[in-house]
Amino acid sequence: MVLRRGRMDILLVLAGIVLIAHPIEAQNCTAETLQFQDLPQHDFNRVDADAGSLQPLYNMVNLYLDAVQPNGLPTDIIQTAVNNPNFISENVPAVVRYQAGYLVSFIIGVLFFICMPLVGLIFCCCRLCGKCGGEVKERKKSTDCHRTILAIFLLMTTIIILAGVACAFTANQRVTEAMEPSLTAFREMLTDVHTYITNILGAPTKLLAQFSLPKDKVFSDLDRVNRTLGVMVRDALWPIVGPVLAMASARIPDVDTVKTHLLDINAAKGSLAQLSAQLSSAKADIVSTLTNQNCAGCGPALGQANRLQTDFTFNLPPDVQVAFDKAMSISSASLTNSVQQANQTFIDIPRRVTSQTSQIFTDVKQVINDIERNLNSNLKFQFPAALQEVDTFANSPQVAEASAQVKQYDYYRWVVSIVLCCIILLIIALNALGLGLGTAGIATREDAYGSNACSESGANFLMASVGFSFIFSPLLILLVFVTFYVGGNARTSGCKPWESGEIYQVIDELAGQNLVFDLSNVFNSSVSYSSLYRHCEEGKSLMLLLPDRQIADLEKYLDVNTYSGDIIRNVNQLNVDLSSLVLLDSASRRDLMTFESNIVEAASYTSPIGTENVQNLADNLIGLAAGLDALAQNQGSLSIRTALNRQAEGLRQIRQTDLERLRQNLARLNGTLQDLAAFAPIVQSRIRNTIQNIDVAQAEIISTTRNIIKNVSECLTTSEVEYFRQYLQWIRAMIMDNLFSCQPAVILINNIFVILCDNIIDPWNAFWFCLGWCTLFLIPSIIFAVKTAKHYRAIQNEIGSPALSEMMQFKFPRVENSYGHTLPSGATAPTQ
């Protein structure tokens, strides 16, 4: 029974120690995934360039411009001109050599501009003299062939000019059609630029404002742990403390039971002592009477009285009595108070833990606030002032006014272009009318070489075409050269190197000579404008191009290890002191140990008082009472006789009452001694196990509490650091992919290229190319028109030509009847 109960107590404590692992492992150290509000994406709309059916014309124009200007960008001239603004005026030959193709074109244009009016004036004078553009003086056999060939060539020239003017009309309309979408795209770009710059300038504030997400989450976790840590500790300790307190409480009844036995022994000792005193008093009274000189024949009775046993007292050995007294001195009330105090202390663990850890959590919150201030001070970006200036320019009303003015100027350009095209169309119309009327007149006149109003009108229309050609060709060639020089240089010196990337190489060379802003002042030394453009075009971040020192500083500020040290250090200061949780105070422990060490000694005296002594006493009392009654009959003294009768009756009374009580007390005493002797080892074993388990549990309280606090600290640091790691990684992603993204700038540059070069410059160049095409073909048009006009007038016979004379005298019949007879002049064929 002893071993079984002791094992049960140990198993209860071990079960509590095993169960303590469950709440520790139940800690959730996984941080939630925070949902940050990303910065707006800089999605610039790309402007598409679709030349459509005009692409072959654009290619032809570009090939011509490449032939006119085969040179690349004049890097040396640009570099020198940047250093010396007067270089161009001082070094005209270098500029002329670069612009040689345009100079040749200029010379051709000047010759055309001068010669065409001069030739027209000469032609006019000649025409007034009847020498030019009159009529064919003589008829020849090849006259018809010449007229036909000239008409065909004029027609082909007119068709070529018509094709040119059609292309010019289309190119002119394409410029106008592209102008509105281009202006719209430009305004959208300005809006995108404003949004882009606004987002960039406001990005640091938005990034730092998102710190509230991990901060609020961490503060929430800290408050939750601060509220629940005490309960967590108490619940974790209950499997340890609960069984031990139950065992300690169970020892109180054990102590009370042992003390009850000891009290029973004391009561039995008192009863025996009282009985012994009564017997001794009765014996003394009898001996006093029997020794009275008046008592006759009392000698034999005196001897019997002296042999009467009167000492039935029960005395423990001294060492047993000491142990007995010590065991009796233990108070179960103090033990009860100790257990209740331990239980109350255990219940009060949450309040104690909260009072001990509140300051630690406050310090951790202060550390997090310090981290926020450090981030606010470290992540301040100094944006160039030019960025704000660009934003101001994009929002300026002058831009909107300029857009309206551009649209108005484009309208003027469209009107002028239409007028120029209409002038050429007028010349084409005159050529067409001249060819048509002249050919119709020849076909309808009786004499193929005679005079005809229709053919004469055709000749006049052709001469009008020649006149308009002489009048307007200088103006056309002037406008062609001006637009050609502007558009051509824009293409060859701007768009072409822009498209090929040569312009960035030139800027790199200028930057190498500190003539323009050197990117190495901002980025690392290997960054050039060309590499920067390629880098941005690939969608990479500018952060990768920063100097190593700046990247290291930024990575340091965005490294969670920079801030986690303070968090971990403060959280690791989290500690809970449960030394006040004493399962059994020292006084109660000492009392239990005293009780445990003395109860066995107190119960070691088990010598019973035999019942045969009681029976002998009963027999002696009966015999002595009978002897006293007999002796009283022989006494002469009344007092002696009365005393003897009274004493005999007293002995009989003792036998009947006190002797029975003596027997009961002895039986109870013997039973109590036996029970105590049997129960004392059990109680001793229980007390030893209880004290041992209390010692084990007291040690486990410290270690378990330490493990719980360690686990909670690790969970807190893991989750807190993870929250800030997510935040810093998100900031890094936003800086890399959004704040330092330069692809929008490349898209903006490409859009500007498409608007200026593809949508405006290419149609512009196509227009002057077609207009120049038409203007140049006015020269053969003039020549063929003058030649053809001569053949549309009356042609005289060749002088001295007999054959032609006979032909003039011979008249071919115009109509034959169905019978083969020639009708006379003015007759009609009969109807059948």
Side-chain angles (χ1 to χ4, degrees):
M1 181 65 184
V2 174
L3 294 176
R4 185 176 301 171
R5 184 56 185 267
R7 288 178 180 175
M8 184 61 67
D9 293 340
I10 295 175
L11 289 175
L12 286 173
V13 176
L14 291 177
I17 296 173
V18 172
L19 288 174
I20 189 63
H22 174 70
I24 296 178
E25 293 178 354
Q27 296 295 322
N28 184 12
C29 301
T30 304
E32 299 178 5
T33 301
L34 300 178
Q35 300 296 330
F36 297 100
Q37 184 179 359
D38 293 342
L39 296 177
Q41 294 294 327
H42 307 307
D43 296 329
F44 281 20
N45 295 324
R46 294 181 180 270
V47 179
D48 296 327
D50 184 15
S53 59
L54 291 181
Q55 187 61 51
L57 178 61
Y58 294 166
N59 295 335
M60 186 186 306
V61 175
N62 293 333
L63 288 175
Y64 173 75
L65 291 176
D66 291 339
V68 173
Q69 180 57 281
N71 303 318
L73 279 180
T75 306
D76 52 346
I77 295 177
I78 295 175
Q79 293 176 357
T80 309
V82 172
N83 282 325
N84 183 13
N86 298 323
F87 170 79
I88 296 179
S89 59
E90 296 175 356
N91 295 270
V92 175
V95 178
V96 169
R97 282 194 300 271
Y98 174 71
Q99 296 282 353
Y102 291 101
L103 181 61
V104 172
S105 300
F106 174 73
I107 294 174
I108 294 174
V110 170
L111 291 176
F112 190 94
F113 184 80
I114 296 175
C115 293
M116 284 298 288
L118 183 60
V119 172
L121 181 61
I122 295 174
F123 178 79
C124 182
C125 295
C126 181
R127 184 74 181 90
L128 291 176
C129 298
K131 300 295 183 180
C132 302
E135 58 185 13
V136 178
K137 302 300 183 181
E138 298 176 338
R139 298 177 184 176
K140 296 180 181 180
K141 294 180 180 180
S142 59
T143 300
D144 290 341
C145 182
H146 288 169
R147 181 179 60 200
T148 303
I149 292 175
L150 290 173
I152 291 174
F153 276 110
L154 179 60
L155 177 62
M156 292 176 61
T157 303
T158 304
I159 292 174
I160 292 175
I161 297 174
L162 179 63
V165 78
C167 291
F169 266 118
T170 304
N172 178 57
Q173 190 63 29
R174 181 62 59 88
V175 175
T176 301
E177 291 175 354
M179 187 60 65
E180 183 61 31
S182 298
L183 290 176
T184 302
F186 180 72
R187 287 191 293 268
E188 291 178 354
M189 282 193 303
L190 292 180
T191 302
D192 292 339
V193 168
H194 171 66
T195 304
Y196 174 67
I197 295 176
T198 302
N199 290 336
I200 287 180
L201 296 178
T205 302
K206 294 181 180 179
L207 292 177
L208 295 174
Q210 295 291 309
F211 185 84
S212 60
L213 268 71
K215 177 182 176 180
D216 294 344
K217 189 63 180 176
V218 170
F219 278 18
S220 176
D221 289 348
L222 292 175
D223 293 338
R224 175 182 56 81
V225 172
N226 191 24
R227 287 193 312 270
T228 61
L229 181 59
V231 178
M232 186 188 308
V233 172
R234 185 183 64 187
D235 293 344
L237 292 179
W238 174 245
I240 295 176
V241 176
V244 173
L245 291 179
M247 293 174 66
S249 298
R251 298 296 77 79
I252 297 173
D254 292 343
V255 172
D256 290 338
T257 301
V258 172
K259 291 185 68 175
T260 300
H261 289 315
L262 295 178
L263 290 173
D264 291 343
I265 293 174
N266 277 335
K269 286 174 60 178
S271 297
L272 291 174
Q274 183 181 1
L275 180 60
S276 297
Q278 291 179 355
L279 290 173
S280 296
S281 176
K283 180 179 178 180
D285 189 22
I286 292 172
V287 171
S288 175
T289 302
L290 292 178
T291 57
N292 193 325
Q293 60 184 359
N294 295 324
C295 184
C298 294
L302 180 62
Q304 187 179 2
N306 287 330
R307 290 192 299 273
L308 182 66
Q309 182 181 358
T310 61
D311 186 10
F312 286 94
T313 59
F314 175 72
N315 294 318
L316 297 174
D319 53 345
V320 176
Q321 184 63 47
V322 172
F324 189 93
D325 294 338
K326 290 182 178 180
M328 285 298 296
S329 66
I330 302 304
S331 174
S332 61
S334 63
L335 183 60
T336 301
N337 292 333
S338 178
V339 173
Q340 290 179 350
Q341 182 179 0
N343 187 57
Q344 184 60 41
T345 304
F346 177 78
I347 295 174
D348 201 36
I349 282 178
R351 186 186 62 81
R352 292 175 180 269
V353 171
T354 301
S355 63
Q356 294 179 20
T357 58
S358 296
Q359 185 59 43
I360 300 297
F361 291 121
T362 302
D363 294 341
V364 174
K365 291 181 179 179
Q366 183 61 41
V367 170
I368 294 172
N369 290 329
D370 293 340
I371 292 175
E372 184 178 16
R373 283 191 292 271
N374 290 336
L375 286 173
N376 288 333
S377 60
N378 293 332
L379 293 181
K380 287 187 178 297
F381 299 96
Q382 297 295 331
F383 296 105
L387 201 62
Q388 186 63 47
E389 295 175 358
V390 171
D391 185 43
T392 303
F393 169 76
N395 283 330
S396 62
Q398 290 81 2
V399 175
E401 295 176 0
S403 300
Q405 292 177 358
V406 168
K407 190 174 181 180
Q408 186 67 27
Y409 292 151
D410 178 69
Y411 174 74
Y412 296 151
R413 179 206 58 77
W414 179 82
V415 171
V416 172
S417 300
I418 291 296
V419 171
L420 296 176
C421 291
C422 289
I423 292 174
I424 297 177
L425 279 178
L426 174 62
I427 296 173
I428 293 172
L430 293 175
N431 283 345
L433 288 174
L435 286 172
L437 293 176
T439 303
I442 292 174
T444 58
R445 66 189 180 184
E446 294 181 0
D447 186 358
Y449 301 99
S451 176
N452 183 281
C454 184
S455 61
E456 288 290 339
S457 298
N460 292 333
F461 276 117
L462 291 179
M463 296 309 295
S465 168
V466 171
F468 282 117
S469 298
F470 278 121
I471 293 172
F472 292 109
S473 58
L475 175 62
L476 292 174
I477 200 64
L478 176 63
L479 295 176
V480 165
F481 178 78
V482 172
T483 54
F484 155 70
Y485 186 78
V486 174
N489 273 295
R491 182 68 195 183
T492 57
S493 300
C495 297
K496 182 180 178 181
W498 191 350
E499 184 178 14
S500 64
E502 185 181 0
I503 190 171
Y504 301 110
Q505 299 176 2
V506 173
I507 297 175
D508 290 337
E509 295 179 3
L510 295 176
Q513 300 179 7
N514 295 324
L515 300 179
V516 295
F517 181 75
D518 190 359
L519 293 177
S520 61
N521 296 330
V522 178
F523 304 105
N524 59 54
S525 57
S526 62
V527 177
S528 62
Y529 283 91
S530 301
S531 61
L532 177 62
Y533 179 82
R534 291 191 299 269
H535 183 88
C536 296
E537 193 173 26
E538 294 172 0
K540 298 179 180 178
S541 175
L542 287 176
M543 182 177 174
L544 302 176
L545 302 180
L546 293 176
D548 295 338
R549 178 182 55 81
Q550 293 185 11
I551 294 178
D553 291 342
L554 187 58
E555 292 290 353
K556 175 184 176 182
Y557 296 140
L558 298 179
D559 187 4
V560 70
N561 295 324
T562 305
Y563 313 99
S564 61
D566 294 336
I567 297 176
I568 294 174
R569 182 170 56 256
N570 281 270
V571 174
N572 286 340
Q573 292 178 1
L574 187 65
N575 187 27
V576 174
D577 183 13
L578 293 181
S579 59
S580 60
L581 178 58
V582 179
L583 299 179
L584 193 65
D585 58 30
S586 59
S588 298
R589 178 188 178 87
R590 185 171 57 252
D591 290 345
L592 271 182
M593 294 181 66
T594 301
F595 190 81
E596 176 268 333
S597 63
N598 287 283
I599 58 172
V600 175
E601 184 68 24
S604 63
Y605 183 78
T606 58
S607 300
I609 300 175
T611 56
E612 64 274 5
N613 295 331
V614 178
Q615 186 61 42
N616 292 334
L617 177 62
D619 294 341
N620 292 334
L621 289 176
I622 293 173
L624 182 58
L628 291 178
D629 286 338
L631 185 61
Q633 297 295 328
N634 298 325
Q635 298 295 325
S637 174
L638 180 60
S639 59
I640 294 298
R641 185 173 58 251
T642 302
L644 289 175
N645 289 329
R646 178 180 54 78
Q647 292 172 351
E649 185 62 27
L651 291 176
R652 290 186 185 93
Q653 185 68 30
I654 290 173
R655 180 182 178 278
Q656 292 177 358
T657 59
D658 293 343
L659 194 60
E660 183 62 26
R661 188 170 66 251
L662 175 61
R663 186 180 289 110
Q664 293 176 357
N665 287 337
L666 287 176
R668 187 170 69 250
L669 177 60
N670 289 333
T672 301
L673 289 175
Q674 291 175 1
D675 291 342
L676 183 60
F679 187 60
I682 296 175
V683 174
Q684 185 184 41
S685 176
R686 290 177 180 176
I687 291 176
R688 287 179 179 176
N689 290 334
T690 300
I691 293 175
Q692 181 181 359
N693 291 333
I694 287 175
D695 292 340
V696 173
Q698 195 72 53
E700 285 298 324
I701 288 174
I702 303 302
S703 60
T704 301
T705 303
R706 185 182 300 114
N707 291 335
I708 294 174
I709 298 303
K710 179 180 179 182
N711 182 269
V712 171
S713 300
E714 290 177 353
C715 285
L716 274 178
T717 54
T718 300
S719 60
E720 289 179 10
V721 171
E722 179 59 26
Y723 287 137
F724 290 115
R725 178 180 288 109
Q726 292 182 34
Y727 172 68
L728 294 176
Q729 288 178 350
W730 174 77
I731 285 185
R732 190 179 190 280
M734 289 296 100
I735 292 176
M736 287 282 292
D737 302 333
N738 196 301
L739 188 59
F740 280 2
S741 175
C742 57
Q743 191 175 35
V746 173
I747 296 176
L748 179 64
I749 293 174
N750 293 338
N751 287 346
I752 295 175
F753 173 82
V754 170
I755 292 174
L756 293 180
C757 296
D758 294 340
N759 293 346
I760 297 178
I761 300 299
D762 281 351
W764 173 282
N765 288 336
F767 174 76
W768 65 251
F769 183 81
C770 295
L771 195 63
W773 167 4
C774 296
T775 304
L776 291 179
F777 272 93
L778 288 179
I779 297 176
S781 175
I782 292 173
I783 295 173
F784 293 136
V786 172
K787 293 291 186 181
T788 305
K790 292 181 179 182
H791 289 276
Y792 287 160
R793 294 188 174 91
I795 303 176
Q796 298 179 1
N797 186 16
E798 184 179 0
I799 301 175
S801 174
L804 187 58
S805 176
E806 292 178 359
M807 290 177 61
M808 291 299 294
Q809 294 176 0
F810 178 78
K811 293 184 179 180
F812 293 95
R814 295 295 180 138
V815 182
E816 291 183 355
N817 59 19
S818 58
Y819 301 100
H821 300 287
T822 301
L823 295 176
S825 178
T828 59
T831 60
Q832 297 181 356

